[in-house]
Amino acid sequence: MSNTGGGYWRRLMRRLTSDVAELDADDLSERSQADGAQRACDCRCGQEAVVLGRLRSVDMSPKNSAPTLEAELFDGTEGVTLVWLGRRRITGIEPGRTVKARGRIAVRDGCKVLYNPYYELQNTA
């Protein structure tokens, strides 16, 4: 137990002393990697990527502009903006929902973006 005890106690102390947002980010990052998705911080412009995370926000375009739906996906390491062109609403795309998205990474205003990504809604369990 002395070999693994240090790791266990270190993890336990980290869990007890870290804030909830940091622990949630760690859990998201671990789940993302366990499901075979890439970490958003490792994705590069032009690369085909699969990311898994929780939607932080969903923004719909105003009625007088071109239909666009944008959602910010956070995987525990970094955010990726998902943009669906020609859509104002997609059932199931709502804040707090876990989504797995696939597409080619682009950069807009210094932020990573997936345009019209393929997506899968994940179970909350």
Side-chain angles (χ1 to χ4, degrees), residues 72-94:
E72 181 191 0
L73 181 133
F74 180 70
D75 76 340
T77 63
E78 197 171 88
V80 175
T81 303
L82 308 178
V83 178
W84 288 274
L85 304 171
R87 305 291 299 263
R88 289 197 195 279
R89 177 154 172 66
I90 298 174
T91 303
I93 300 296
E94 54 198 27

Side-chain angles (χ1 to χ4, degrees), residues 9 11 16 37 45 63 65 76 85 87 115 117:
W9 290 112
R11 285 191 307 273
L16 293 173
C45 184
K63 292 251 185 215
S65 67
L85 304 171
R87 305 291 299 263
Y115 288 101

Side-chain angles (χ1 to χ4, degrees), residues 5 10-11 18 21 27 32-33 39 41 45 55 63 76 81-82 87 91 94 98 102 105-106 112 118 121-123:
R10 187 176 23 236
R11 285 191 307 273
S18 296
D27 289 343
S32 175
Q33 289 180 329
R39 295 179 343 156
C41 65
C45 184
L55 297 179
K63 292 251 185 215
T81 303
L82 308 178
R87 305 291 299 263
T91 303
E94 54 198 27
T98 302
R102 179 173 51 94
I105 296 286
K112 295 176 183 177
Y118 295 99
L121 300 174
Q122 303 292 303
N123 292 332

Side-chain angles (χ1 to χ4, degrees), residues 3-124:
N3 261 352
T4 59
Y8 170 77
W9 290 112
R10 187 176 23 236
R11 285 191 307 273
L12 178 63
M13 288 306 295
R14 184 173 181 335
R15 287 253 180 223
L16 293 173
T17 59
S18 296
D19 67 342
V20 175
E22 188 177 335
L23 293 174
D24 187 44
D26 289 346
D27 289 343
L28 274 172
S29 182
E30 287 173 15
R31 179 176 177 194
S32 175
Q33 289 180 329
D35 283 354
Q38 296 162 280
R39 295 179 343 156
C41 65
D42 295 337
C43 296
R44 301 290 171 243
C45 184
Q47 174 186 16
E48 183 78 21
V50 176
V51 291
L52 182 135
R54 187 172 300 127
L55 297 179
R56 282 184 164 173
S57 65
V58 177
D59 297 322
M60 293 171 263
S61 64
K63 292 251 185 215
N64 59 355
S65 67
T68 305
L69 179 66
E70 294 190 15
E72 181 191 0
L73 181 133
F74 180 70
D75 76 340
T77 63
E78 197 171 88
V80 175
T81 303
L82 308 178
V83 178
W84 288 274
L85 304 171
R87 305 291 299 263
R88 289 197 195 279
R89 177 154 172 66
I90 298 174
T91 303
I93 300 296
E94 54 198 27
R97 191 70 190 254
T98 302
V99 174
K100 188 176 202 177
R102 179 173 51 94
R104 189 162 306 278
I105 296 286
V107 176
R108 179 183 71 181
D109 300 327
C111 298
K112 295 176 183 177
V113 180
L114 284 175
Y115 288 101
N116 292 324
Y118 295 99
Y119 67 95
E120 297 174 21
L121 300 174
Q122 303 292 303
N123 292 332
T124 55

